[in-house]
Amino acid sequence: MNNDTVAVASLLSKSNPVFCCYMFWSSLLILKMLLMSLLTARQRMKTKTVANPEDLRMMRTTEVRFHDQNVERVRRAHRNDLENILPFMLVSLAYVACGPHALTASLLIRIGAAARLLHTIVYAVIPLPQPIRAICFFINFGIVIFEAIYVMICVAKYI
């Protein structure tokens, strides 16, 4: 193994507190995304909204409905998670592998993850008026942009 491989291996290990911070918050975000499926199911049951004919008997309803406002809100929040949490997790992993300043990296990961958690709360759980949701979105978005640029600068010499 060359020195770069050894350095990256030590950055991506449990002995690196930044990587542990990343693993904790990314695991929490993954669990949150999985729970969004259950929140969607809860909204479907609560409003007796089914999108498939085979589910009619289970919900004790006679009509297939696609556009319940509450179900669609949760589905949009879930899709927003998929569009934003996955890039956050991927670029954050690359960022950690670049060996950033530990305090800066830990803060960015924590703030980005907290912004996504709060985004879900104000979007799908307890809907609040804008700009609260937009602020949560742009905090995470800005962190992803910063980390991506940082990674690109760190690895530019290798391309």
Side-chain angles (χ1 to χ4, degrees):
M1 280 202 252
N2 65 27
N3 289 343
D4 286 341
T5 305
V6 171
V8 170
S10 66
L11 287 171
L12 300 180
S13 73
K14 288 192 300 185
S15 64
N16 178 1
V18 176
F19 185 60
C20 290
C21 179
Y22 166 80
M23 288 192 302
F24 174 84
W25 287 100
S26 62
S27 295
L28 186 63
L29 289 173
I30 288 170
L31 289 173
K32 188 204 85 57
M33 286 194 304
L34 290 172
L35 289 174
M36 292 301 289
S37 297
L38 298 178
L39 186 57
T40 303
R42 182 178 145 243
Q43 289 291 25
R44 284 189 184 283
M45 287 185 217
K46 187 174 161 184
T47 60
K48 296 190 179 201
T49 303
V50 296
N52 301 303
E54 63 270 16
D55 298 333
L56 290 171
R57 276 189 21 209
M58 191 170 83
M59 293 289 205
R60 295 188 179 110
T61 186
T62 58
E63 178 185 2
V64 173
R65 292 179 33 214
F66 292 103
H67 300 293
D68 181 83
Q69 173 180 329
N70 297 314
V71 173
E72 291 306 311
R73 176 177 283 278
V74 175
R75 291 183 65 210
R76 286 191 307 272
H78 194 182
R79 188 171 97 195
N80 190 283
D81 280 350
L82 295 171
E83 294 169 350
N84 292 282
I85 290 175
L86 297 177
F88 172 71
M89 289 173 53
L90 290 172
V91 79
S92 291
L93 182 60
Y95 178 67
V96 170
C98 288
H101 184 269
L103 179 61
T104 303
S106 295
L107 283 173
L108 288 174
I109 291 166
R110 289 176 183 137
I111 292 168
R116 289 308 309 173
L117 292 169
L118 186 57
H119 181 272
T120 296
I121 292 168
V122 301
Y123 194 177
V125 181
I126 305 168
L128 295 175
Q130 290 286 22
I132 297 167
R133 190 174 79 229
I135 291 168
C136 294
F137 170 83
F138 282 111
I139 287 171
N140 183 265
F141 187 79
I143 290 170
V144 170
I145 297 297
F146 172 82
E147 289 179 350
I149 291 170
Y150 184 95
V151 169
M152 290 169 61
I153 291 169
C154 286
V155 301
K157 63 185 175 187
Y158 298 108
I159 59 170

